[in-house]
Amino acid sequence: MLLGCIGDDFTGSSDLANTLTKGGMAVTQYSGVPKGAPQAGVEAGIVALKSRTVPVAEAVRLSLEAAEWLLEAGCRQILFKYCSTFDSTPEGNIGPVIDALMARLGTTHAIVCPAFPAAGRSLYQGHLFVGDRLLSESGMENHPLTPMRDADIRRWLKPQTTGGVGHVPAATVFRGAEAIRAAILGEAEAGRGLVVVDAIADRDLLEIGRAADGMALVTGGSGVALGLPGNFRAQGLISGAGAPFTGSDGPAAILSGSCSIATRGQVERYARDGHPVLAVEPEGLLSGAVTAQGAAEWALSAIAQGAVPLVASSAEPEAVREAQARFGREAAAGAVETFFAALARALTRGGITRLVVAGGETSGAVVEGLGLPALAIGPEIAPGVPALKAEDRPLWLVLKSGNFGAEDFFSTALSALKAGRP
Ligand code: ADP
């Protein structure tokens, strides 16, 4: 294994897997820190954690455990992958995890670059944009768990880290890999080792990737991985042959626990197109009025009639705030996540072979609930979203991060998982 990746959620990890697969690396995504040695032939291993919103100490412990396993597997570089909207709170978990990885790897510097231009995330003058909106005006300011109220990534990161926060502005990035590398080392020397690096287009990320050659630690969104396979290729270390992937046209279901704007549009569209949709909310789940068993029965009877049902807790910010005020943020989210994990188990027991999940935390809960140890990576369905196949059973998956995908994403994803298509 050459490149060792630690993802702070499951959808983000499959987004990264997608980028590295397209870059010609043989990629396997693990759910949590694997036991035992990896199988041969894996060039990039991604340990997907559900550490984005767990307590800081837990995120640090899990990330260090993952790093240990990856280093043991022979990795020469560690990539810590977080969301391209830099999902975090003033406490963490991005800063504390970077601090811990820097200490473990004995490095003075780490690139911090959440930019992902293909999905509209660009970083300019230290500020993160989603399309033409500042991050803090993009809808992310209403996120149920990590409301992003400041688009200045340097300022947002500062209280999360014990290290200094540096910056490489776009003007330097445009001058290419050598200038970027020199600027990063300069910032580190000045005591600002967590270096936010601007990127507004894929060509910037390719230069940043080249600049990162040989650096022990790189952190960012999946975009920052664009240029990394090239470094290994230049040294003749990767084969460039991707593993073959075939899909399934078996029974399918969609689960959505994402309340992001894009997902809400996709849920509405799916309902408008006449598909069966079951809406659930924390109140019903916490009171016991709605159960995973009941939802599974509803979904399986729709499947028996040839439909692909969608079960969604996706709600408007107002409704999310209300539920959080009534039950507490953790309890509301926990009830929804436990529900989707149990529902996914019941549906796979009921025979489904295709499962589309919307929401990063939700996907983590589902994949953990199903106990899927490793996922093979298939073709890209939408920017940042690949088709996936469980390595230990006949189950094909799509894990979609909240803001990804066009309005008809659910239908697109279902047909992309069909046999022969991918
Ligand atoms: P995204 O990828 O859009 O951020 P996530 O699944 O990561 O989606 O996060 C959404 C969080 O909101 C999850 O923890 C989920 O359990 C929680 N959630 C989902 N629906 C509701 C709701 N109706 N009310 C409160 N919280 C909710």
Side-chain angles (χ1 to χ4, degrees):
M1 209 179 280
L2 300 164
L3 181 63
C5 309
I6 303 165
D8 74 349
D9 85 336
F10 282 64
T11 48
S13 294
S14 63
D15 170 8
L16 174 62
N18 179 53
T19 301
L20 293 170
T21 302
K22 285 198 297 181
M25 295 187 90
V27 184
T28 295
Q29 178 174 332
Y30 306 96
S31 307
V33 183
K35 310 233 179 321
Q39 83 255 58
V42 180
E43 293 164 341
I46 303 175
V47 178
L49 300 175
K50 194 171 180 299
S51 58
R52 183 170 294 170
T53 57
V54 300
V56 172
E58 176 74 352
V60 167
R61 185 185 67 73
L62 287 168
S63 305
L64 286 174
E65 214 181 286
E68 226 49 69
W69 186 84
L70 292 162
L71 293 169
E72 186 70 24
C75 292
R76 303 164 184 216
Q77 184 168 55
I78 296 291
L79 170 58
F80 171 41
K81 157 75 176 71
Y82 37 79
C83 190
S84 58
T85 43
F86 210 71
D87 300 19
S88 53
T89 69
E91 288 74 46
N93 292 339
I94 294 176
V97 170
I98 297 178
D99 287 350
L101 290 173
M102 283 174 73
R104 169 61 185 86
L105 297 168
T107 179
T108 57
H109 50 278
I111 289 171
V112 176
C113 184
F116 185 12
R121 275 73 154 180
S122 58
L123 192 66
Y124 184 63
Q125 308 295 27
H127 288 66
L128 187 55
F129 291 81
V130 177
D132 64 353
R133 316 295 304 176
L134 281 166
L135 174 68
S136 47
E137 298 168 19
S138 68
M140 277 304 294
E141 68 276 20
N142 293 317
H143 190 276
L145 301 174
T146 50
M148 298 300 293
R149 302 208 167 104
D150 190 351
D152 187 332
I153 294 308
R154 300 161 299 181
R155 203 160 53 197
W156 192 256
L157 179 59
K158 191 74 197 75
Q160 297 184 34
T161 169
T162 54
V165 176
H167 182 218
V168 177
T172 305
V173 173
F174 297 161
R175 286 169 41 220
E178 270 163 43
I180 298 168
R181 190 177 173 83
I184 291 169
L185 297 177
E187 289 292 81
E189 230 160 75
R192 298 185 292 267
L194 284 79
V195 191
V196 176
V197 185
D198 284 357
I200 59 173
D202 283 356
R203 65 174 173 278
D204 303 331
L205 291 163
L206 288 168
E207 292 301 323
I208 293 166
R210 288 210 303 132
D213 191 11
M215 287 187 186
L217 180 62
V218 178
T219 84
S222 65
V224 80
L226 268 183
L228 300 181
N231 298 332
F232 297 112
R233 190 176 303 106
Q235 297 171 57
L237 292 170
I238 59 175
S239 61
F245 188 92
T246 47
S248 158
D249 55 6
I254 309 169
L255 310 181
S256 174
S258 158
C259 300
S260 300
I261 292 172
T263 307
R264 296 202 315 268
Q266 290 155 358
V267 170
E268 266 169 42
R269 167 69 183 271
Y270 197 72
R272 216 168 46 237
D273 286 347
H275 301 285
V277 177
L278 177 67
V280 299
E281 26 73 58
E283 187 182 356
L285 299 174
L286 286 163
S287 71
V290 179
T291 62
Q293 196 47 44
E297 278 162 22
W298 172 85
L300 289 169
S301 81
I303 290 168
Q305 289 162 38
V308 178
L310 160 64
V311 181
S313 70
S314 311
E316 303 285 323
E318 189 55 45
V320 172
R321 268 195 296 274
E322 218 170 88
Q324 290 180 337
R326 247 183 99 190
F327 306 110
R329 174 179 294 200
E330 304 299 319
V336 171
E337 291 178 28
T338 308
F339 165 77
F340 278 122
L343 177 56
R345 278 195 300 272
L347 291 175
T348 50
R349 271 199 308 272
I352 65 158
T353 61
R354 289 180 294 157
L355 185 60
V356 177
V357 187
E361 296 293 325
T362 309
S363 295
V366 165
V367 170
E368 278 183 355
L370 291 172
L372 305 175
L375 300 167
I377 316 303
E380 184 173 48
I381 297 169
V385 193
L388 300 168
K389 160 83 175 62
E391 288 201 340
D392 66 338
R393 69 195 79 170
L395 181 64
W396 285 257
L397 297 124
V398 177
L399 308 177
K400 184 198 83 87
S401 166
N403 277 313
F404 285 4
E407 203 186 73
D408 60 355
F409 177 82
F410 292 144
S411 303
T412 312
L414 287 167
S415 51
L417 288 182
K418 273 191 185 158
R421 243 309 291 282

